[in-house]
Amino acid sequence: MAKGFRGKYFSLAAITATVSMVLLQAQGAQVEALEKVIVSASKMERPPEGLSDDFEVIDSEEIAQRGWERLDEALRFIGGGDLIQAGGPGQPVSFYLEGLPSDKTLILIDGIRYNDPTNLNGAALELLDLDGIDRIEIIRGPQSGVWGADAMAGVVNIITQDPKEGKGGWKVSGGKYETRSIHFALSNSGAKGYFGVSFDHLSSGGWSAYGAKPGEPLYGVKASSLPLEPDPFTSRRFIVKGGQPLGDGWFQGEFIKLQGRIHYDNFNGDAPDSPFTINEVDDTLWQLKASQTLGNHRLVLHYNHSNFQRSQFGGYEGSVDEVEWRDRLGRSWGGLQFGAGWQRFSQKMVAGAAKRDEYQNHYLFATSFATLGDLILQGSLRFDNYDRFDDRLTYKVGFKYPLTSELFMAANVATAYKAPSIFQLGYNATTNLDPEKGFGYNVIFGYGPFRGVYFKNRVKDLITWTDPDQDYTTLNDYYYNAPGTSTFQGYTLSFAQDLLDQFYLSLGYTHLSAKDAQGRRLPRRARERITYSLRWYVGERDSLDLSGFYVGRRFDVDGSKIGSYNVTDLTINHGFGRGIWAFVRVSNLFDRFYQEVAGYTSGDRRFYLGVRASY
């Protein structure tokens, strides 16, 4: 990192550059910044340099430097990813990791599943803010051999701050569209254990989610000038964590409450408030975990529960329960982990009517890694036994090897399996659905600050949603298995480098081809994306970050062109000392008009101001 910030900040791009150079001798302070381990690639704690996977990490300091408030803002900068939102804050988000639909990516919060079995789109990413987040781990490529269903495209694990570090803090901010954000966290840690609590509140008056489609009179009118009613958004998050030493291990618990209120519009225009257009969300996640070290064995037993409630269309409720036991054995050559678990995916309410439906899964898995000289090997194997679908064996294998002192190569091959959600099975006009099967691989090269990845995924019987009349009030929409094999392939290029000791530059490029079995391009995925960030460290306490992304050609489900635009943000941070910082952020600095979903309005230029503190 640039002068004055070494050891304090490392960016998403800095992670990429550092992993590319871990085999060099001159690692210095960047290696110290990577003391935290990656857990999402194998359920084992592994240093980044010991992984063959294609991954990225966004830490809390990168979030602060960019001025990001919400998860969807950060995911727009992920290599190999594409994200669209049907309007402003809180409106539905679709995240295409390597081109696959949102529900093919497993979303975790501290290892607890956040994929809602009653949701149209998997996990409600639009509800998640980034205050109190320690880091976000993104593992690209099929991960069913580790995590099972929902991990066909990869895994995003949102890891909140650890009270065991005994830290706390607060933040207040506000800006255009009556946007307000409040965060505070308290924690205490000692020999007898730890305890932490945090609270977050984010609200925005918003703007009208629906604007106009090409050819309609209001098309091209920016959000603040639309003569339509705004669609406000409010979210709250409450987290309690606690732990107590247990012999040579821990007994730990965590409780997460996520609530939101969102106003929607419909497919064809501005819509008044009604049970169809207002959604009250109340999600509860919790975990109990016991761990123990016995010689070379590290034993872990946990129970996770996720409950999801939303009021729209009369109300929906569902849940996921999971019990898992695993044992990790340390060896001189590496490590081995094996375990077993049980899952239950339930639906309790549909459109306001009680409707109990569920399926269960029992699974076995094993993961391992080995270091043989300079060669790193890793592998995973998992067997899933569903009570309503065929059994499935999935795997993941990979290696990483230095070709020269500066150049390394890595590759991974994996299979994937995605069972239909309990919601999809009984949705409206849906008749029969079969599980999706996938196969994918990637090849990675790194040379100093440069990194390149080629990826390819094939999915058979891709589950797809369609609404014949584009009217959400009718019940003729349905899910179906697209016949044949859909193909998702492309490559990413990245560069990250300090410049002149005061600047930091990171660049990313993604090229994607996403086609169905007939060779037709799939909608809403951009063929190419470019991300960029130029950061200037002004002295010891101040920084200026100019970041943005360019979205190439893409089209919506109705054929409308929604690509070819560029959005740039500016964030200025000033440190007062004693852990207190002030920041100013300008979103959409050049006030571009663009739509990520045809007819739905994205934000115009917006100013935000805030103060944060940590102690």
Side-chain angles (χ1 to χ4, degrees):
M1 279 296 147
K3 183 179 179 180
F5 286 78
R6 295 184 188 274
K8 297 175 71 174
Y9 295 102
F10 67 96
S11 68
L12 178 155
I15 289 277
T16 303
T18 303
V19 173
S20 300
M21 301 191 317
V22 294
L23 300 174
L24 303 176
Q25 296 297 317
Q27 294 178 328
Q30 287 184 324
V31 172
E32 294 179 8
L34 285 172
E35 290 178 353
K36 291 184 177 179
V37 295
I38 308 299
V39 299
S40 308
S42 61
K43 297 186 180 180
M44 292 191 289
E45 297 177 347
R46 297 284 293 138
E49 62 269 24
L51 294 175
S52 67
D53 293 273
D54 181 22
F55 73 94
E56 292 188 30
V57 175
I58 306 173
D59 82 323
S60 59
E61 297 298 345
E62 179 67 12
I63 293 169
Q65 286 292 299
R66 301 284 190 104
W68 292 327
E69 293 271 3
R70 306 185 314 275
L71 179 64
D72 58 85
E73 295 175 316
L75 293 181
R76 282 183 170 87
F77 287 82
I78 295 301
D82 197 2
L83 184 143
I84 62 171
Q85 187 164 26
Q91 298 300 317
V93 162
S94 293
F95 176 56
Y96 301 102
L97 188 58
E98 296 190 343
L100 276 78
S102 289
D103 64 339
K104 309 300 185 289
T105 298
L106 176 61
I107 307 298
L108 306 168
I109 303 178
D110 291 333
I112 308 170
R113 283 178 177 258
Y114 188 57
N115 290 62
D116 181 356
T118 74
N119 195 329
L120 290 167
N121 215 22
L125 302 177
E126 61 272 13
L127 299 181
L128 301 179
D129 69 75
L130 294 179
D131 289 323
I133 301 302
D134 179 70
R135 67 189 188 276
I136 306 167
E137 299 179 358
I138 303 100
I139 314 296
R140 286 179 289 258
Q143 304 296 317
S144 294
V146 179
W147 294 97
D150 299 332
M152 178 170 278
V155 175
V156 176
N157 194 3
I158 304 154
I159 300 174
T160 61
Q161 292 175 347
D162 189 351
K164 286 189 286 187
E165 298 178 358
K167 296 180 180 180
W170 54 267
K171 190 193 87 170
V172 293
S173 66
K176 193 174 182 178
Y177 296 110
E178 301 179 353
T179 300
R180 304 288 185 270
S181 176
I182 300 172
H183 163 76
F184 78 85
L186 298 172
S187 65
N188 187 41
S189 179
K192 294 184 178 180
Y194 67 88
F195 177 81
V197 59
S198 68
F199 174 78
D200 302 272
H201 176 88
L202 175 65
S203 64
S204 174
W207 55 87
S208 176
Y210 188 86
K213 293 182 178 180
E216 296 179 349
L218 291 177
Y219 183 75
V221 176
K222 296 175 182 177
S224 58
S225 301
L226 283 170
L228 303 172
E229 70 165 352
D231 292 301
F233 163 66
T234 301
S235 69
R236 293 175 296 276
R237 185 185 67 205
F238 179 65
I239 301 178
V240 179
K241 292 184 178 183
Q244 183 175 352
L246 181 67
D248 290 328
W250 285 88
F251 179 74
Q252 299 165 292
E254 180 173 5
F255 174 86
I256 303 173
K257 172 67 76 172
L258 295 160
Q259 297 177 317
R261 179 180 173 88
I262 311 101
H263 294 238
Y264 299 121
D265 284 334
N266 62 31
F267 287 115
N268 301 310
D270 189 32
D273 293 344
S274 73
F276 291 100
T277 61
I278 294 180
N279 192 16
E280 299 273 2
V281 178
D282 190 352
D283 298 338
T284 304
L285 288 67
W286 54 268
Q287 178 185 78
L288 295 175
K289 181 167 66 175
S291 61
Q292 193 65 229
T293 300
L294 300 174
N296 290 330
H297 295 261
R298 179 67 174 176
L299 304 172
V300 178
L301 175 66
H302 71 75
Y303 174 54
N304 293 348
H305 174 78
S306 306
N307 194 80
F308 305 91
Q309 297 183 50
R310 51 192 172 95
S311 66
Q312 194 179 23
F313 304 115
Y316 287 78
E317 183 176 1
S319 63
V320 179
D321 294 274
E322 181 173 22
V323 179
E324 182 179 285
W325 165 86
R326 60 182 182 266
D327 179 11
R328 175 178 175 177
L329 294 83
R331 292 290 184 264
S332 59
W333 47 265
L336 172 66
Q337 178 178 249
F338 57 88
W342 164 85
Q343 296 170 315
R344 180 175 62 199
F345 301 85
S346 303
Q347 184 168 260
K348 306 172 185 178
M349 180 183 294
V350 177
K355 181 180 179 181
R356 184 76 184 188
D357 193 10
E358 67 176 42
Y359 61 76
Q360 299 185 31
N361 176 39
H362 297 82
Y363 62 89
L364 303 169
F365 70 93
T367 60
S368 64
F369 68 92
T371 302
L372 306 175
D374 292 329
L375 177 65
I376 296 172
L377 300 172
Q378 65 181 47
S380 300
L381 187 67
R382 175 168 168 140
F383 176 76
D384 289 276
N385 173 227
Y386 285 92
D387 59 2
R388 289 173 64 169
F389 312 109
D390 293 338
D391 299 343
R392 193 68 180 176
L393 184 68
T394 53
Y395 65 84
K396 181 180 76 170
V397 294
F399 77 90
K400 183 177 183 180
Y401 186 74
L403 300 176
T404 70
S405 60
E406 296 185 359
L407 175 67
F408 82 86
M409 175 186 179
N412 301 274
V413 178
T415 56
Y417 180 82
K418 174 67 172 68
S421 72
I422 198 71
F423 176 77
Q424 290 172 329
L425 289 170
Y427 182 73
N428 289 353
T430 302
T431 53
N432 297 313
L433 279 180
D434 295 321
E436 302 159 297
K437 280 77 71 176
F439 172 81
Y441 65 88
N442 58 45
V443 181
I444 308 166
F445 287 94
Y447 184 82
F450 297 93
R451 183 180 175 93
V453 181
Y454 174 79
F455 61 87
K456 185 172 184 178
N457 298 291
R458 297 198 299 266
V459 180
K460 184 179 180 181
D461 300 326
L462 181 71
I463 295 176
T464 305
W465 173 80
T466 186
D467 186 357
D469 58 6
Q470 294 291 297
D471 184 354
Y472 70 91
T473 62
T474 61
L475 302 180
N476 62 344
D477 53 327
Y478 60 93
Y479 288 93
Y480 67 98
N481 289 105
T485 300
S486 302
T487 303
F488 306 83
Q489 62 183 327
Y491 59 89
T492 64
L493 303 172
S494 63
F495 170 86
Q497 182 71 50
D498 287 335
L499 301 174
L500 304 177
D501 204 35
Q502 285 188 304
F503 296 90
Y504 190 77
L505 174 67
S506 65
L507 301 170
Y509 174 80
T510 298
H511 181 86
L512 174 69
S513 172
K515 297 181 179 180
D516 64 15
Q518 286 70 46
R520 297 172 299 196
R521 285 184 57 206
L522 294 172
R524 295 186 171 177
R525 286 90 162 166
R527 283 192 176 183
E528 57 184 6
R529 286 179 61 93
I530 298 173
T531 61
Y532 53 89
S533 175
L534 177 61
R535 190 170 304 158
W536 179 24
Y537 295 97
V538 188
E540 296 289 330
R541 295 179 176 176
D542 303 320
S543 68
L544 183 151
D545 186 278
L546 193 69
S547 300
F549 54 88
Y550 166 78
V551 175
R553 290 175 295 170
R554 67 178 173 195
F555 63 95
D556 211 334
V557 293
D558 63 356
S560 300
K561 295 180 180 180
I562 52 174
S564 301
Y565 58 85
N566 176 76
V567 180
T568 302
D569 301 331
L570 172 67
T571 304
I572 301 172
N573 283 276
H574 172 70
F576 295 101
R578 298 178 181 268
I580 300 176
W581 296 80
F583 61 92
V584 176
R585 185 186 184 204
V586 186
S587 296
N588 196 357
L589 178 66
F590 301 112
D591 206 20
R592 306 293 191 195
F593 172 83
Y594 65 101
Q595 292 185 342
E596 296 181 327
V597 178
Y600 289 84
T601 306
S602 297
D604 49 6
R605 185 187 295 123
R606 308 179 299 284
F607 293 85
Y608 303 97
L609 174 69
V611 180
R612 67 179 184 273
S614 59
Y615 47 85

